[in-house]
Amino acid sequence: MTPGSSRPVEGRPPSGSSRPVEGGPPSGSLRPVEGGLTPVSLFERAEAVLVDLDGTLVDSTRPVRRAWDEFAARHGLDAETVMHFAHGRPSRDSIQLLLPDASELEIDTEAARLDDGEINDTEGVIALPGAFALLSGTRPLAIVTSASTALARGRLAAAELPIPEVLVSSDGLEQGKPDPSCFLIAAERLGVEPQRCVVLEDAPAGILAGLRAGAVVIAVRTTHEDDELGEATAIVDDLASLLGG
């Protein structure tokens, strides 16, 4: 198909999931949790924190959008649908879903092109509310991201955020989110059972991965509507909602 045409991808309706959610619940609102626990109490009782990067700690919407819009144009795909597939998954996994007939070489080439483009484009990457305070805390913490290590470190540096000792990236993983292995690896490196961890996520794939790992999952409504975050144990506006401001 001619690049730049708008061919929808089967399996999901178009969605602009990478942009901040508009028209949602009022700022500071917390979805109730069964059993009388609040999202804050769920967060505070966890022994360790496993936190996603893009959309949770940092807003990388602008460079991500630029990279995937170019991908969509190259392959004649609808840009909004591409973003819906891409968010929260390793690039390679997203490409496999979006280009089911592509060869392994084509997938590897596109993944490298996307990763290189995003590594070299940090304009507009900023820390989200509560990110610095969370990463500066004393509780055991790991960042668990679908990005490569190089890309994750670049975005943390661009957002002027500290880099924790444990950072689990897509490098070397056979399967990315929603597979739970990334969270299981992070918990093991921290020396904490997954059931004693809290996962902080913004995307459905990450929420499912955290639940499959056996952790409590608190979703932040920074990139998706509540109906897409419904599998999470609790939903809050952002990290600052869990940290008291």
Side-chain angles (χ1 to χ4, degrees), residues 30 39-41 43-44 49 51 56-57 128-139 141 198 200 218 220 236-245:
L30 308 176
V40 173
S41 64
F43 172 72
E44 291 179 343
V49 178
V51 59
T56 305
L57 288 169
L128 287 168
F132 186 85
L134 178 69
L135 294 176
S136 301
T138 58
R139 240 189 315 183
L141 179 145
V198 61
L200 307 178
I218 300 177
V220 291
V236 298
D237 284 347
D238 50 34
L239 298 178
S241 303
L242 298 171
L243 301 167

